[in-house]
Amino acid sequence: MPKSSKVTQRELSNEHVTESVADLLALEAPMDYKSSQMSMNMAGGGPPPIGKPDISPDLEDGRPAWNSKLQYILAQVGFSVGLGNVWRFPYLCQKNGGGAYLVPYFILLILIGIPLFFLELAVGQRIRRGSIGVWNYVCPRLGGIGVSSLMVCGFVGLYYNVIIGWSIFYFFQSFQYPLPWSECPIRRNGTQAIVEPECEKSSATTYFWYRETLNITSTIADSGGLNWRMTLSLLAAWIIVCLAVIKGIQSSGKVMYFSSLFPYVVLFCFLVRGMFLKGAVDGIAHMFTPKLEIMLEPQVWREAATQVFFALGLGFGGVIAFSSYNKRDNNCHFDAVLVSFINFVTSILATLVVFAVLGFKANVMNEKCVVENAEKILGYLNSNVLSQDLIPPHVNFSHLTSSEYAEMYGVIKIVKEDSFAQLGLEPCLLEDELNKAVQGTGLAFIAFTEAMTHFPGSPFWSVMFFFMLINLGLGSMIGTMTGITTPILDTFKIRKEFLTVGCCIVAFLCGLLFVQRSGNYFVTMFDDYSAGLPLTIVVILENVSVAWIYGTKRFMQDLEDMLGFRPCSVYFYLWKYVSPVCLLILISASVVEMAISPPGYNAWVQDLAMERFQSYPPWALAMCFSLIIVAMLPLPLVFLARHFNWLPDGSNKLSVSYRKSLTKEASTLEDETRFILGKNPSEAPSPMPSHRAYLGPGSTSPVELITNSTSISGYGSGYQTNPAPPKSES
């Protein structure tokens, strides 16, 4: 090695060297150590000193790791594929042009979904910390990103587990025949038996949901006290989640084998069964019939972007937390593309299932409508209100088809044009039934349950359906809880079992807000305000901190060092320009919609047996905006605290697992340094030619790069006492 080299100069100055052999050779081409000068030109011709065996850094640093690649992929799939794929995506397809909606969704999945998902996977895998540690390292002044992400995870986890509790309640109610929501209850009024009025005005499934399950009040201001059945269901849900995540990925990884795969078994079973139901083809055809004129509306693109954004779980911290337990050389680009497309295909599969079943339900309701209106016409014929001449001769009232009723309805409407409205006849069009858009709890607990009451063996299908919902929700909750516990465990020395149990107990107590009789209104409030805008801001700041502050060129170089190949250059432009612009447009559209849409909720009015929109009272309105403010407050607070040096720079704070490994690394580092500097310059190996160019700022040689490196790749096996925070590209 030449005398002018950095290592030789440091030898003469007795300056302590902190780089390891792995760091010094990080940018060098692979070499055969058996035939190299390092092994052949040793003093005395003997073999080199035998150091520690080559142990993977993933085992060395003490951080837990996934047992297999399959387990990791299933965890990411389980987190990203959730309840929204079943009850949100089909609704958006129906609302926004059927099959035409898939075009903007797929385009936005390519432009913002996969690139941002890849970005989160990469930073988590390379830095190997949770959301707080990652963003403290990338840009300390934007360290509030991780805290805001954790806050949003907390808010979402509170109400999301309530939905799992509802599914648990319906799951246990399904073990009876007939299903309890298949018929309206009978009320005794003395010797007279009458149908419950609230049920008669709505439907059996609607009544069971609002009255038997939620026992809901008419306003958000009337709490009505705790619903003890929902309280027990929520407790069961939190116990299940706690047991699943209590050991970290050691326990949750095993749970994912079942909770991630079982929903696909159920969806395929429902699809096969649904295709044999009458009207299923009508539902699927209605679903995928493209309405191209709707596709050009801005609202369609905004909702497609929002769905892409939330479907992949961006910004929650769960994606980063899961990837932080990966090996550093894992191909996270392949993972990003694979999980994104599994998510997309799952959404299409769920849409096929939902509309096959809803097509069957629409056919049943249409036949029921035809029968009821045919009885009205027979009554009018018997009372001479209508003439027999109006009835086509081929019509048989005992076997009346939808087409025959439509023909008869058209004739009567033309002849009795003046008095037609007084007859009270309905058109009974299958298209009208299919156009009744439902989403969320309305789809799962009302429309779908009603359809299943008409299935042969309905209890079996009901048990399968709600068990599927429980597993879908559990996979998402595991990711959400990991997004909360991982950054805390990385920052503080706490036993994960105590932290997990403590978080679940606190969350259950806070969740009592949602199991009051008015709790459903608070679920709607949190769903509308706690995650949408804050999470979008979190993700755009993640994008900006990597692409513009840390530097896209430097990040691409880090990816090449980590993956062994350079990702497609299109990611450079997507991260730097396309994704930030798309996210800014999405934020602007969300703020505009929030400003023009009156804040309120759909209240269930018991006397009318129907929903009615009501505005939030002042205290509830203040609560809505408090959710947004509290979630985003860490962003400016951490920025100001770091700017004025009120808060230590969190970029240098190692995780607990890293602190445990420091003593091991120190001894190894000393041996490696002695091995390098203990030779005469003539005996030192000549430098190997660099196999790649470093694109980051301020470095001219490999050793200078290692000495001054501030890239994510420097966060490997060699630590510096006070590494400088990353600087932006020049």
Side-chain angles (χ1 to χ4, degrees), residues 16-17 19 664-676:
H16 182 62
V17 178
E19 293 85 0
K664 294 182 182 178
E665 293 244 2
S667 60
T668 308
L669 202 58
E670 187 178 350
D671 293 340
E672 292 170 343
T673 305
R674 191 178 299 116
F675 176 66
I676 295 173

Side-chain angles (χ1 to χ4, degrees), residues 14 78 91 122 168 185 265 269 341 368 480 496 514 589 628 655 678 711:
N14 294 323
Y91 162 76
I168 291 172
V265 175
C269 289
F341 278 99
K368 182 179 178 182
T480 302
K496 67 179 67 172
F514 305 104
I628 299 174
S655 65
S711 67

Side-chain angles (χ1 to χ4, degrees), residues 714-728:
Y715 192 86
S717 56
Y719 297 105
Q720 300 174 0
T721 306
N722 289 300
K727 298 178 183 178
S728 61

Side-chain angles (χ1 to χ4, degrees), residues 528-597:
D528 290 341
Y529 291 93
S530 69
L533 184 60
L535 214 56
T536 313
I537 293 174
V538 163
V539 173
I540 193 172
L541 289 176
E542 290 181 358
N543 194 173
V544 169
S545 64
V546 170
W548 288 92
I549 299 176
Y550 183 80
T552 312
K553 288 183 179 179
R554 186 187 303 175
F555 186 57
M556 292 287 282
Q557 181 63 42
D558 292 339
L559 289 174
E560 184 175 358
D561 294 338
M562 183 170 68
L563 302 177
F565 65 90
R566 193 171 186 82
C568 180
S569 58
V570 72
Y571 284 109
F572 179 93
Y573 301 100
L574 290 175
W575 283 326
K576 191 138 190 168
Y577 304 110
V578 178
S579 296
V581 170
C582 290
L583 289 172
L584 280 175
I585 294 173
L586 180 59
I587 289 175
S588 303
S590 300
V591 171
V592 169
E593 186 191 21
M594 193 177 294
I596 63 177
S597 301

Side-chain angles (χ1 to χ4, degrees), residues 199-462:
C199 183
E200 190 174 24
K201 292 176 184 177
S202 54
S203 68
T205 50
T206 304
Y207 174 82
F208 187 87
W209 167 242
Y210 283 112
R211 190 55 49 210
E212 297 292 337
T213 304
L214 302 178
N215 194 19
I216 199 165
T217 58
S218 296
T219 65
I220 193 173
D222 181 12
S223 70
L226 289 177
N227 182 334
W228 68 269
R229 289 189 291 186
M230 293 303 100
T231 304
L232 293 177
S233 298
L234 179 63
L235 178 62
W238 276 114
I239 290 174
I240 293 171
V241 170
C242 184
L243 293 175
V245 299
I246 193 166
K247 291 289 186 180
I249 62 171
Q250 280 80 10
S251 57
S252 62
K254 295 178 176 63
V255 172
M256 285 295 185
Y257 281 115
F258 183 81
S259 65
S260 296
L261 295 176
F262 179 74
Y264 290 95
V265 175
V266 177
L267 285 174
F268 277 112
C269 289
F270 264 99
L271 181 62
V272 173
R273 181 67 186 90
M275 294 305 294
F276 290 99
L277 296 172
K278 183 180 180 182
V281 176
D282 296 327
I284 294 174
H286 174 79
M287 175 65 256
F288 287 103
T289 301
K291 304 176 182 65
L292 298 178
E293 66 281 0
I294 299 179
M295 190 180 72
L296 301 177
E297 297 179 3
Q299 177 75 3
V300 174
W301 289 81
R302 187 190 70 81
E303 293 192 342
T306 304
Q307 179 62 19
V308 167
F309 186 81
F310 288 105
L312 294 174
L314 299 175
F316 280 96
V319 173
I320 293 176
F322 280 152
S323 65
S324 72
Y325 299 114
N326 260 335
K327 296 179 180 179
R328 290 191 187 93
D329 59 351
N330 174 62
N331 189 347
C332 55
H333 177 257
F334 172 79
D335 299 342
V337 175
L338 177 65
V339 173
S340 298
F341 278 99
I342 288 176
N343 190 295
F344 180 57
V345 171
T346 304
S347 297
I348 295 178
L349 174 63
T351 301
L352 287 171
V353 171
V354 166
F355 277 89
V357 174
L358 291 184
F360 165 70
K361 173 180 174 288
N363 197 276
V364 171
M365 299 305 294
N366 188 62
E367 290 179 353
K368 182 179 178 182
C369 177
V370 168
V371 170
E372 291 176 351
N373 284 271
E375 291 177 353
K376 288 183 181 180
I377 293 174
L378 281 174
Y380 292 142
L381 291 174
N382 294 332
S383 59
N384 296 322
V385 174
L386 294 177
S387 172
Q388 189 69 38
D389 297 335
L390 299 177
I391 310 302
H394 62 277
V395 170
N396 183 357
F397 277 91
S398 60
H399 298 89
L400 190 63
T401 64
S402 298
S403 59
E404 291 173 342
Y405 173 78
E407 181 184 357
M408 188 169 54
Y409 175 87
V411 172
I412 296 173
K413 186 176 182 180
I414 293 172
V415 175
K416 295 287 186 177
E417 183 177 0
D418 296 334
S419 58
F420 181 78
Q422 299 174 359
L423 298 177
L425 298 177
E426 298 176 14
C428 296
L429 297 176
L430 183 63
E431 189 77 10
D432 292 342
E433 288 291 336
L434 291 171
N435 283 329
K436 291 180 180 178
V438 287
Q439 65 165 324
T441 54
L443 173 65
F445 299 107
I446 298 177
F448 219 88
T449 52
E450 184 173 353
M452 286 187 295
T453 58
H454 301 289
F455 279 25
S458 55
F460 169 78
W461 294 105
S462 183

